[in-house]
Amino acid sequence: MDKSAPKPEHIQQLSIGDNEEDLDPAHLARFQFERAIAWLEGFKDGLIQSLVAPKRTIEVYFPVEMEDGSVQTFHGFRVLHNRVMGPGKGGVRYHPEVDKEEITALATLMTWKCALLDIPFGGAKGGVNCDPKKLTQTELRRITRRFITELGDNIGPNTDIPAPDMYTDAQTMSWIFDTYDILHPGRNNLPVVTGKPLDLGGSLGRPEATGRGCLYATMRYLEKEGIGSSRTLEGSRVVIQGFGNVGMTAAKLFQQAGATIIAVSDSRGGIQQADGIDIEAAARFKEQEGSVVGLPDTLTITNTELLELDCDILIPAALGKQIHCGNAQRIKARLVVEAANGPVTPAADDILTDRGIPVLPDILVNAGGVTVSYFEWVQNFSNERWALDDVNTRLRSKMFDATDLVLTRWHAMRDEEEKAFAAETSAGEIYNVPVSLRTAALAVAIARIANVTLERGIWP
Ligand code: GLU
């Protein structure tokens, strides 16, 4: 890019109607990518563009005998997006919305996430289209074993390493390990999958790692940039959408760090308490009742109302595309922290950035999970178990470093943009949305992959 004339973010636009926008996951991933690469210069023609396409896509159909004796066919995917930094890495999700486009977009995000955190992995993601809420443990075990068998040697400790994602957990990872181990006897197969139970090669700190990473990224952001005059979480009012592993862990840790959690939600709805929700009590209540809704001394609210509450920090920690062109104008948070993958759409990104509400992006905020997955993989190869403090200290240092990199790049981009702004406005042109933290994070990650691709040399 010509330094004297940076491309403002409005140059590329997805087609957006009055209250609708293009939400095709492939288009979203492509859009964010294009925006970031407008800031990268000095690479060979076509090199950066070549990083968009996934290296390999595996699509399988397989039958499973259900507990009622019927047979159901399931549709599964594993996409390996990029492997220049190391083996593919990424979760496996079980969800009714799983499809090839979504898994590909998520695998792409994994590539940028690992590069940003400087973890020697490429990006991958997998999933099976199913509704885990309607499946028994036996059915889930059969689906997992059959899916992993279908993937065969396309996964492996040095090629592609699955992990937990939406509606998969340590139990699912045990089945993945066991299946792979049965098919490959006589060697150390523990590093084939991460997020395993502690007594089966799992790492201390892995279950909380994504929520903890979210805490560290937010703390570092506040320390460097602040919200108003506040530079810590002490006394901040926080709203969290989602009370699964990530949302619940984040809620506990933010509360311990001095924040007041004024609202949380799960798929059945939200609860609000201006004086602060007792998160331990909410977790116990959800365990017994299946939802946080109905926790004594709280007000029941809808998910829509929750997102629009007046607060300092809003943490979407559930599904993608929750903040979109239809509600972004009504968001009252002063900082949005993306603990889920893709919870803010590009149109909403622009609206929020334009309104001066920074969005700390997913590839940074939720990278704690894959970071501790990397620690687990290292421990498995060396037959070691690191102490919890050791894991958390290393995680903090990775998250702080990555946050610093993003902020430094962001400030540099903003300086460039300001110069261009002065030039543009004096030339009578209209200036639009300022550069976002997401674009800065992606620019760092993509440049890293492009550099390593060149160092390795394009085959042949
Ligand atoms: N599924 C998580 C993610 O989206 C973790 C992936 C991993 O640990 O490999 O980052």
Side-chain angles (χ1 to χ4, degrees):
M1 190 184 62
D2 172 11
K3 280 234 185 327
S4 62
K7 285 191 181 133
E9 298 222 321
H10 65 276
I11 284 181
Q12 305 94 13
Q13 284 288 0
L14 284 177
S15 66
I16 299 170
D18 270 353
N19 235 351
E20 59 187 74
E21 58 190 296
D22 179 353
L23 293 177
D24 178 317
H27 295 173
L28 300 188
R30 179 77 194 214
F31 176 75
Q32 293 172 345
F33 175 83
E34 293 285 346
R35 228 177 207 190
I37 66 172
W39 291 86
L40 302 180
E41 57 183 359
F43 290 104
K44 282 180 200 300
D45 265 6
L47 171 78
I48 298 224
Q49 283 72 11
S50 76
L51 302 177
V52 164
K55 182 173 164 58
R56 183 181 72 196
T57 301
I58 300 170
E59 191 171 351
V60 292
Y61 289 90
F62 54 90
V64 169
E65 196 172 345
M66 310 303 279
E67 296 228 58
D68 66 4
S70 67
V71 174
Q72 257 187 48
T73 305
F74 289 89
H75 194 182
F77 308 88
R78 183 77 187 170
V79 175
L80 177 60
H81 173 252
N82 186 293
R83 215 161 58 185
V84 300
M85 307 291 276
K89 188 82 191 82
V92 170
R93 58 172 58 185
Y94 290 170
H95 195 266
E97 276 170 26
V98 160
D99 61 24
K100 189 158 72 186
E101 287 68 34
E102 187 198 39
I103 296 295
T104 307
L106 291 166
T108 313
L109 275 185
M110 288 306 300
T111 301
W112 313 142
K113 203 185 290 190
C114 294
L116 181 63
L117 268 288
D118 197 16
I119 290 171
F121 288 141
K125 197 76 148 203
V128 175
N129 185 296
C130 63
D131 188 353
K133 290 188 178 166
K134 297 194 180 128
L135 296 165
T136 66
Q137 282 295 97
T138 303
E139 289 164 346
L140 286 168
R141 193 186 68 239
R142 289 176 185 164
I143 290 170
T144 305
R145 286 201 188 282
R146 185 67 196 246
F147 177 51
I148 293 305
T149 309
E150 296 293 335
L151 294 182
D153 280 338
N154 290 300
I155 63 165
N158 292 301
T159 50
D160 184 357
I161 305 142
D165 200 88
M166 270 169 59
Y167 295 106
T168 56
D169 55 15
Q171 175 61 78
T172 326
M173 302 307 115
S174 300
W175 294 327
I176 293 180
F177 165 74
D178 189 65
T179 307
Y180 186 87
D181 195 51
I182 286 169
L183 295 172
H184 303 85
R187 62 190 201 200
N188 174 15
N189 288 314
L190 285 176
V192 71
V193 62
T194 58
K196 302 179 291 295
L198 209 51
D199 51 7
L200 190 58
S203 175
L204 287 161
R206 177 62 185 86
E208 315 84 66
T210 311
R212 185 172 285 282
C214 166
L215 171 81
Y216 290 149
T218 312
M219 278 168 52
R220 189 62 164 184
Y221 175 86
L222 289 180
E223 195 183 319
K224 298 259 159 164
E225 305 291 325
I227 302 181
S229 59
S230 172
R231 302 236 158 208
T232 68
L233 282 170
E234 197 66 49
S236 60
R237 292 162 312 132
V238 176
V239 170
I240 301 181
Q241 184 199 35
F243 210 63
N245 173 320
V246 181
M248 195 196 300
T249 306
K252 286 182 186 169
L253 295 175
F254 275 69
Q255 191 166 63
Q256 284 165 19
T260 305
I261 315 297
I262 59 167
V264 296
S265 69
D266 56 33
S267 56
R268 293 206 210 149
I271 54 171
Q272 185 189 0
Q273 168 54 266
D275 296 334
I277 295 167
D278 177 346
I279 297 301
E280 294 296 341
R284 281 193 302 275
F285 190 81
K286 185 173 167 81
E287 176 87 30
Q288 284 156 17
E289 307 294 327
S291 172
V292 290
V293 177
L295 179 72
D297 296 328
T298 60
L299 198 71
T300 301
I301 53 173
T302 63
N303 249 306
T304 311
E305 289 166 336
L306 173 126
L307 290 172
E308 296 171 14
L309 285 174
D310 187 356
C311 63
D312 296 308
I313 303 173
L314 170 63
I315 307 182
L319 294 166
K321 304 172 211 161
Q322 296 299 295
I323 303 175
H324 42 74
C325 69
N327 63 2
Q329 283 292 359
R330 295 195 296 276
I331 300 298
K332 295 182 201 71
R334 298 165 79 196
L335 170 69
V336 175
V337 174
E338 288 191 317
N341 284 313
V344 178
T345 67
D349 241 348
D350 281 358
I351 296 170
L352 294 173
T353 307
D354 204 30
R355 291 180 56 215
I357 304 173
V359 178
L360 216 45
D362 48 7
I363 60 166
L364 170 69
V365 171
N366 69 30
V370 71
T371 302
V372 179
S373 272
Y374 164 57
F375 298 159
E376 178 174 332
W377 183 77
V378 172
Q379 292 170 76
N380 289 161
F381 271 121
S382 51
N383 290 306
E384 277 182 24
R385 168 151 300 147
W386 300 350
L388 182 59
D389 274 356
D390 194 8
V391 170
N392 289 343
T393 306
R394 289 176 195 246
L395 173 62
R396 192 180 54 212
S397 137
K398 280 275 187 205
M399 295 303 302
F400 277 19
D401 286 354
T403 310
D404 289 353
L405 264 181
V406 173
L407 291 176
T408 304
R409 187 76 170 103
W410 185 55
H411 282 293
M413 286 168 144
R414 283 182 50 155
D415 288 349
E416 277 192 43
E417 213 173 38
E418 235 144 65
K419 277 186 218 138
F421 173 53
E424 271 187 15
T425 42
S426 59
E429 288 181 35
I430 300 162
Y431 176 77
N432 258 334
V433 185
V435 67
S436 63
L437 287 162
R438 184 187 318 283
T439 297
L442 283 168
V444 172
I446 296 168
R448 231 175 212 168
I449 303 276
N451 277 323
V452 175
T453 306
L454 283 178
E455 277 163 11
R456 293 179 65 144
I458 298 192
W459 186 262

